[in-house]
Amino acid sequence: MLDFSIFVVVLLGLAVIFVFLGVRTVSQGYEYTVERFGRYTRTLRPGFHIIIPIIDQIGSKLNMMEQVLDVASQEVITRDNAMVTVDGVVFYQILDASQAAYEVSDLTRAILNLTMTNIRTVMGSMDLDELLSQRDAINARLLNVVDEATGPWGVKVTRIEIKDISPPRDLVEAMARQMKAERDKRANILEAEGLRQAEILGAEGSKQAVILDAEGRREAAFRDAEAREREAEAEAKATTMQSDAIESGNIHAINYFVAQQYIDALKAFAGSENEKILFMPLEAANVIGAIGGVAEIARQAFGGSGSGKGGAGKGADDDSSGPWLSGDQ
């Protein structure tokens, strides 16, 4: 009886140990592969699982979350024979635990080396200027190549980023000089373009000024000609009227014409700059007679017939006292 009790206790203890060895708990974000006698049978997902102890064993414990790998710095020779130092990062995620465990050995190392070789391939086929200005294109090309290569491994490469591209110091200085020369060139071009535009605008302004000045002179000449034409017409009309009066025998008109010429001559002498004192044998009665003749013409034109008779007598008296023409003459 005692032996049977010991046997039962031992059997229960073995059962507890057997059950304990068969219980597996998988954390969130991880997956375990199960091997039976060394052969893959299934994958344990997050949660509580029971396996057969001794017969079933846990093969690999894989992280199913997105992970990041630092790509170490390496030297790359570009297509134009420039040496640059490049590093980067790779983001990937395991999608199939069995493929990641059994299709490749040392998954992390394989992804890292694949990325480094493709960085040299992609960047070695580009010029230095393209490397510095087209990082997005480089990242896209690397992502396509590496993601396609890691597909059979049950891995999805989500991003590849080039962190730093470091040319040699002498190359950086040469690029700085080139950039400065290019900027100076653009500045000189812009300055020359501004001067050219300013000269063009100045020439246009001068042209417009000349055109406006010519138009102004033409308008002034036209108006001067018109004024001279009107003055000539008035002079011709006055001359015609005087000629008609003389032809009709109007003595007062003749006296008016002579007096006007006489006064204009005196005005010209008086306005001379070289002569300040003028001595001439002038008789005041002659000038008064001329003025009387002018008044008589005005009375005949505006005063009527009665006043014209009285004025005629006065004109005759005035004419007799001076060198003017009279009716008897």
Side-chain angles (χ1 to χ4, degrees):
M1 188 67 180
L2 181 60
D3 294 336
F4 180 75
S5 298
I6 295 173
F7 175 76
V8 172
V9 171
V10 172
L11 185 61
L12 291 174
L14 292 174
V16 172
I17 294 174
F18 189 80
V19 172
F20 180 77
L21 293 175
V23 173
R24 289 290 184 270
T25 302
V26 180
S27 301
Q28 184 66 38
Y30 287 85
E31 289 186 2
Y32 298 170
T33 59
V34 178
E35 299 175 354
R36 181 170 294 175
F37 300 115
R39 181 181 179 180
Y40 169 76
T41 56
R42 60 195 175 100
T43 299
L44 301 181
R45 301 188 180 277
F48 179 81
H49 300 276
I50 297 177
I51 61 173
I52 302 175
I54 301 173
I55 298 176
D56 294 337
Q57 295 181 353
I58 300 299
S60 299
K61 299 179 179 180
L62 300 174
N63 187 348
M64 305 299 291
M65 296 179 288
E66 187 172 2
Q67 303 176 64
V68 59
L69 287 176
D70 287 324
V71 180
S73 299
Q74 59 177 332
E75 292 183 346
V76 178
I77 300 176
T78 62
R79 185 170 58 186
D80 52 353
N81 297 324
M83 182 75 70
V84 295
T85 302
V86 182
D87 59 1
V89 291
V90 180
F91 296 86
Y92 72 95
Q93 185 176 13
I94 298 175
L95 301 180
D96 193 320
S98 60
Q99 289 181 335
Y102 300 108
E103 294 294 336
V104 62
S105 177
D106 196 350
L107 177 63
T108 302
R109 183 167 170 267
I111 294 175
L112 188 59
N113 283 277
L114 181 63
T115 303
M116 293 179 68
T117 56
N118 279 280
I119 286 176
R120 287 194 295 269
T121 301
V122 172
M123 301 184 70
S125 62
M126 305 174 69
D127 294 333
L128 179 60
D129 293 337
E130 295 177 342
L131 293 184
L132 298 177
S133 61
Q134 300 182 10
R135 289 200 180 191
D136 292 339
I138 296 172
N139 295 336
R141 291 178 60 182
L142 287 173
L143 180 61
N144 291 334
V145 174
V146 176
D147 185 45
E148 183 179 358
T150 57
W153 301 343
V155 175
K156 174 64 178 177
V157 178
T158 57
R159 287 190 300 259
I160 296 179
E161 299 288 340
I162 299 298
K163 289 197 301 185
D164 191 20
I165 300 176
S166 301
R169 182 178 296 276
D170 56 346
L171 189 58
V172 173
E173 293 177 355
M175 292 171 62
R177 291 195 299 269
Q178 179 183 0
M179 184 181 301
K180 184 177 183 298
E182 187 68 23
R183 290 178 177 174
D184 292 340
K185 174 184 175 183
R186 289 200 296 268
N188 293 331
I189 291 174
L190 292 175
E191 183 178 2
E193 189 68 24
L195 293 176
R196 173 176 172 271
Q197 191 69 20
E199 291 179 357
I200 291 174
L201 293 176
E204 287 291 336
S206 300
K207 175 183 176 182
Q208 289 296 119
V210 171
I211 292 173
L212 293 175
D213 183 62
E215 291 180 353
R217 291 199 304 271
R218 184 183 67 177
E219 184 68 20
F222 177 76
R223 295 187 178 277
D224 289 342
E226 185 178 1
R228 287 195 301 271
E229 181 180 357
R230 292 182 179 179
E231 184 179 0
E233 290 178 355
E235 186 69 22
K237 186 175 180 180
T239 303
T240 300
M241 294 176 64
Q242 289 177 358
S243 299
D244 293 341
I246 293 173
E247 186 177 358
S248 63
N250 191 339
I251 302 302
H252 298 292
I254 297 173
N255 288 336
Y256 171 75
F257 179 74
V258 174
Q260 183 181 11
Q261 298 297 323
Y262 189 77
I263 293 173
D264 289 339
L266 290 177
K267 186 186 298 183
F269 279 116
S272 175
E273 296 180 357
N274 297 325
E275 296 294 339
K276 301 302 183 180
I277 300 175
L278 181 65
F279 296 96
M280 295 183 66
L282 300 177
E283 296 180 0
N286 293 335
V287 177
I288 295 172
I291 296 174
V294 174
E296 182 62 25
I297 293 173
R299 282 195 298 271
Q300 288 184 1
F302 302 105
S305 58
S307 60
K309 292 180 180 181
K314 179 63 178 178
D317 295 338
D318 292 339
D319 291 340
S320 62
S321 62
W324 310 104
L325 295 178
S326 63
D328 298 335
Q329 294 175 355

